[in-house]
Amino acid sequence: MTKIEPDIVKFLSKTIGQFQPITAVANVGNILQIGDGVAQVSGLSQVAYQELVQFDSKTFGLALNLEKDRVGVIILGEYQHLKAGDQVRTTGKILQIGVSQNLIGRVIDPLGRPLDGKPTPRIDKFLPLERVAPGVIYRKSVDTPLQTGIKAIDSMIPIGRGQRELIIGDRSTGKSAIPLTTIINQKGGDVVCIYVAIGQKESFVAQTIATLEKFGSLDHTIFVVASCADPASLQYLAPYAGCAIGEYFAQSGKNALVIYDDLSKHAWAYREVSLLLRRPSGREAYPGDVFYLHSRLLERACKYNDKYGGGSLTALPIIETQAGDLSAYIPTNVISITDGQIYLEPDLFYAGIRPAINVGLSVSRVGGAAQVKAMKQVAGKLRLDMAAYRELAAFAQFSQDLDPATKAQIDRGGRITEILKQGWDEPYSVAEQILVIWAVSRGYFDTFAIEKVKDAETKLLEIFRRSKKSLLAKIAKQKALDPSIEKELTNTLENFIKDFNG
């Protein structure tokens, strides 16, 4: 028998005496079945709703179904390497995304991972994707305009900072063009834009990014992308990730704009996840909480009062309709949640009226509170004039004999329609919009043939941008039209008409 050295015995005795057993409690379960991005897990008795669970070192999931004997988990990312029997453990955390100023100009996925080939951005802190919307004591009435640069919207359907304005219409009617123009119009301003692409083609997302880069608007824009090639779980999380990023800026006292393009595909992704989790389905196979899905997202948009920083989060959700059916399930849900809607009509789009905004079915429930005084002065009757024109024009098709007053109203309406036409890449400043709308509503364009109205508008703006910059600056600064400004506008317009017609 080998003799053990006394030093070794002493060392072993000391080591055993110092040993302190460490006990750790872990809530562990196993995969019962897995497929289509969803796993049924047993054994996680302590898991919470929407808690993050870990499958292995690189795969996580979100607990969405809490049943008596199993938990339904949506898998965040690849799952082909997982199989029945694999271990699952709770993390005690809810899903979060890293936020910071460094996200501006970047393209990320809903989990905060970069998609633009650049290094992972430096993060200031983490915010939960889901959180309770700010209560009444945090909020302030919407009173500051968010200028889109689109004449028809800023004059008749104004959007305020902190508002939720729905953009709705059929496929390929210019829905995505409105937020694109709005983002371009914020260049040089104080609004951070977050564009959330949900279920869109990757080619469309790449084209949008390239367009904003061309106009120098990536310096104030963040892209959160869950394309149609991504799992439904990421498409479901994308708008909440974009909203959390927007809240980071809003709670810092800044102004943020988040665009959800589009929430129809978001509802489809949630329906897919819910059906895979075998939740009871209701109307159009959507789960019963599909209204809550969007209300808890859109309610987070608000304008904070001065006590809480005075920032704002504005939401522009997009919904796609089928054959103009505004009474379908998801459209009516989102219309009832938002503070108004901009309806794009296919017939107007195909008639060459772009943006194809149906004035009668579009509304802003914030209204004039989100307009500068000068815009209220010039655009007060514009909406009524346009609605009356549409009605009279419909009746005029059946009659050749019109009284002079009706004919004059139809002629004026036709010229206003021409003035409101605008390319997506031509945002107008507030002063320029006020100038053009003032001129057409005062009848200065009545002397031009309808086909020459757009040319006249272009030349008028060229004159003001070249030799009347001070007047435009004065309108922008005062935000109201006083008699001296109106007198100068009148003189300039009268001289312009003589020169243009001469």
Side-chain angles (χ1 to χ4, degrees), residues 151 415 418-423 426 428 432 435-437 439-440 445 448-467 472 493 496 500:
K151 290 172 286 187
R415 284 161 178 78
E418 286 296 312
I419 285 294
L420 294 180
K421 288 181 182 178
Q422 185 176 344
E426 302 170 345
Y428 282 54
E432 289 170 351
L435 159 67
V436 171
I437 294 169
V440 71
F445 282 82
F448 307 137
I450 286 186
E451 59 271 14
K452 290 190 175 182
V453 166
K454 286 303 289 181
D455 289 339
E457 179 197 12
T458 303
K459 287 186 169 56
L460 178 65
L461 285 172
E462 284 176 1
I463 291 171
F464 271 83
R465 288 167 182 167
R466 187 176 62 250
S467 58
L472 288 176
L493 263 296
F496 168 73
F500 189 83

Side-chain angles (χ1 to χ4, degrees), residues 2 5 57 89 103 165 173 235 245 262 309 325 454 472:
T2 306
E5 293 291 334
S57 59
R89 61 179 61 235
L103 290 177
E165 184 78 9
T173 51
Q235 295 182 39
I245 295 170
D262 64 63
D325 185 10
K454 286 303 289 181
L472 288 176

Side-chain angles (χ1 to χ4, degrees), residues 273-286:
V273 166
S274 298
L275 291 173
L276 288 169
L277 289 170
R278 304 197 177 184
R279 289 181 171 180
S281 58
R283 180 176 166 187
E284 295 181 25
Y286 288 105

Side-chain angles (χ1 to χ4, degrees), residues 117-146:
K118 299 177 183 176
T120 303
R122 187 174 55 80
I123 298 304
D124 289 344
K125 62 179 179 178
F126 286 86
L127 289 180
L129 265 68
E130 293 260 21
R131 64 191 304 175
V132 178
V136 175
I137 59 170
Y138 296 92
R139 296 175 181 251
K140 178 185 178 183
S141 296
V142 175
D143 58 4
T144 308
L146 177 83

Side-chain angles (χ1 to χ4, degrees), residues 301-319:
C302 71
K303 181 171 176 60
Y304 289 91
N305 59 35
D306 295 337
K307 183 180 177 182
Y308 294 96
S312 68
L313 177 61
T314 309
L316 292 182
I318 297 175
I319 287 287

Side-chain angles (χ1 to χ4, degrees), residues 132-295:
V132 178
V136 175
I137 59 170
Y138 296 92
R139 296 175 181 251
K140 178 185 178 183
S141 296
V142 175
D143 58 4
T144 308
L146 177 83
Q147 302 294 350
T148 65
I150 302 170
K151 290 172 286 187
I153 293 176
D154 291 343
S155 61
M156 295 185 289
I157 317 152
I159 299 172
R161 295 185 179 186
Q163 189 177 345
R164 302 154 300 175
E165 184 78 9
L166 172 64
I167 301 169
I168 187 168
D170 280 12
R171 181 178 176 82
S172 299
T173 51
K175 299 187 299 299
S176 298
I178 288 176
L180 196 61
T181 308
T182 305
I183 292 174
I184 293 170
N185 196 54
Q186 306 312 313
K187 184 179 178 181
D190 60 347
V191 179
V192 178
C193 303
I194 301 104
Y195 194 106
V196 184
I198 311 161
Q200 301 288 349
K201 292 185 291 186
E202 291 184 351
S203 59
F204 169 80
V205 177
Q207 183 183 4
T208 304
I209 294 170
T211 301
L212 291 179
E213 191 171 17
K214 175 186 171 185
F215 283 90
S217 297
L218 276 185
D219 296 339
H220 60 266
T221 308
I222 302 166
F223 275 85
V224 180
V225 178
S227 71
C228 56
D230 289 320
S233 56
L234 291 183
Q235 295 182 39
Y236 157 62
L237 294 173
Y240 299 104
C243 189
I245 295 170
E247 283 180 328
Y248 165 74
F249 291 101
Q251 291 170 357
S252 304
K254 299 178 181 177
N255 298 295
L257 166 68
V258 60
I259 293 135
Y260 305 113
D261 191 6
D262 64 63
L263 290 189
S264 295
K265 294 183 178 68
H266 181 233
W268 297 349
Y270 187 59
R271 175 171 60 183
E272 180 181 335
V273 166
S274 298
L275 291 173
L276 288 169
L277 289 170
R278 304 197 177 184
R279 289 181 171 180
S281 58
R283 180 176 166 187
E284 295 181 25
Y286 288 105
D289 64 339
V290 72
F291 182 90
Y292 182 54
L293 172 78
H294 289 149
S295 65

